[in-house]
Amino acid sequence: MNPEDVSVKIFKALGHPIRLQIVKFLLGEPRCVCEINRHFEFSQANTSQHLKILKEAGILENRKVGVEMHYSVKLAGIEALLAAMDDTVAEFFDSLNF
């Protein structure tokens, strides 16, 4: 796998609104699946599918704590990437000259 493929995989995983929200939610601290479900009110199946995609993209990692599965952001650069994206979105809206 080359760097471009990895970039596409990461951006593709973050390209879904639910997955983007999950990653932003996990930036502060690891959380169990039950917390993610409660926060977003997703079905367990829906949450699991999104977490699987994010994990396969290398964005998240998981760790079993007792009977709970906890997820956290694995790549330190994700926070900087999302901050740059937020700046870019703000710049986009500023350029519309409202």
Side-chain angles (χ1 to χ4, degrees):
M1 188 176 297
N2 64 46
E4 290 81 18
D5 291 341
V6 174
S7 295
V8 168
K9 189 168 190 140
I10 289 170
F11 279 114
K12 205 175 204 182
L14 292 172
H16 191 284
I18 291 174
R19 290 194 289 271
L20 181 60
Q21 290 174 37
I22 289 171
V23 172
K24 286 183 174 184
F25 182 64
L26 292 174
L27 282 176
E29 63 183 277
R31 301 191 189 251
C32 72
V33 175
C34 59
E35 289 178 86
I36 297 167
N37 279 333
R38 276 195 307 268
H39 184 79
F40 295 105
E41 298 179 2
F42 301 148
S43 71
Q44 177 72 36
N46 191 336
T47 301
S48 294
Q49 186 64 30
H50 288 299
L51 291 170
K52 178 183 174 199
I53 291 167
L54 290 164
K55 188 174 175 203
E56 287 174 353
I59 297 168
L60 298 183
E61 60 187 355
N62 63 331
R63 181 173 64 98
K64 193 162 182 135
V65 178
V67 296
E68 299 176 338
M69 189 63 70
H70 287 234
Y71 283 84
S72 60
V73 176
K74 178 180 180 181
L75 302 174
I78 292 296
E79 189 167 3
L81 178 65
L82 294 181
M85 181 187 61
D86 288 345
D87 291 344
T88 303
V89 169
E91 181 182 354
F92 170 80
F93 282 111
D94 287 347
S95 74
L96 296 178
N97 296 319
F98 281 120

